[in-house]
Amino acid sequence: MNKGICEQYPISNVEYIQLDKEFGKLCKYASWKLIKNNSKNNHTDDFEDINQELLISMLKAGSYYKRQTYIEQCFQVVKNYKIDNFIMFVLRELEELWFNRTRHGAGKQKFGYWQETLLQRIVKAVVPKKHRPDRNQFLKIDTKFKTYCKAICWNMQKALGRNISKEKDIRASTVSISE
């Protein structure tokens, strides 16, 4: 069954508290800034709604980053063990697909569920159980993740702002009940 990344790599309560401590004020500031910049647009979302959207995007960023670190650890650990030529070929192809996922045309060359499943099966076949990476490892908030999470929050803020701007014309021509 193909579960979503947020379900496969969930954020625990402890991780959420740590994320909120690290990025909660950023989300509140971005929400406030969005409300302030669009105060004349008569939008219906309030501060808390926007803040919750940004916090959800932060949680998604955490799940995606956990997946990314897990996959990269899988590639590293498999290289420490002797594998035959066919598995080495498949591993190289998967690794090339993984490291080229952000380049032009990455939408056509997706490292998705099946590629991840294949990588996990290779890890299970080659690596002893005690040396395998843990899918449920604790989220490591390093400088790479901080940059990633901030970019995700700001991109979500811009997306919410675009939606407010698109709906402005619709709300401008509406008539309230009091009129």
Side-chain angles (χ1 to χ4, degrees), residues 74-113:
C74 285
F75 283 126
Q76 289 174 353
V77 76
V78 167
K79 291 178 182 177
N80 296 333
Y81 295 92
K82 186 176 180 178
I83 51 181
D84 65 12
N85 289 336
F86 177 72
I87 293 178
M88 181 62 96
F89 173 76
V90 171
L91 190 65
R92 267 192 245 122
E93 292 295 317
L94 287 173
E95 194 169 23
E96 184 178 332
L97 188 60
W98 173 255
F99 287 110
N100 289 331
R101 72 191 181 282
T102 57
R103 294 205 171 84
H104 182 67
K108 298 174 188 165
Q109 302 174 8
K110 188 174 179 181
F111 191 94
Y113 173 75

Side-chain angles (χ1 to χ4, degrees), residues 46-79:
D46 65 348
F47 173 81
E48 285 301 318
D49 292 336
I50 294 170
N51 190 41
Q52 290 301 316
E53 287 290 331
L54 293 174
L55 289 172
I56 289 169
S57 69
M58 177 187 64
L59 293 174
K60 287 181 182 178
S63 292
Y64 276 72
Y65 192 74
K66 282 175 86 169
R67 176 183 182 249
Q68 179 179 335
T69 54
Y70 170 74
I71 289 172
E72 289 174 355
Q73 287 174 354
C74 285
F75 283 126
Q76 289 174 353
V77 76
V78 167
K79 291 178 182 177

Side-chain angles (χ1 to χ4, degrees), residues 14-31:
V14 175
E15 291 169 325
Y16 172 75
I17 291 169
Q18 188 177 8
L19 283 170
D20 189 44
K21 182 180 172 185
E22 188 76 33
F23 301 105
K25 289 181 182 177
L26 173 69
C27 291
K28 286 182 180 177
Y29 174 75
S31 302

Side-chain angles (χ1 to χ4, degrees), residues 38-45 160-176 179:
N38 293 292
S39 62
K40 295 178 183 175
N41 286 353
N42 194 21
H43 57 88
T44 56
D45 291 341
L160 291 171
R162 279 192 300 274
N163 288 342
I164 290 171
S165 297
K166 285 179 188 174
E167 296 169 0
K168 179 182 178 184
D169 295 333
I170 297 169
R171 286 188 303 275
S173 62
T174 58
V175 178
S176 68
E179 295 177 9

Side-chain angles (χ1 to χ4, degrees), residues 151-164:
I152 295 294
C153 286
W154 285 115
N155 287 341
M156 177 56 92
Q157 181 211 22
K158 290 187 187 312
L160 291 171
R162 279 192 300 274
N163 288 342
I164 290 171

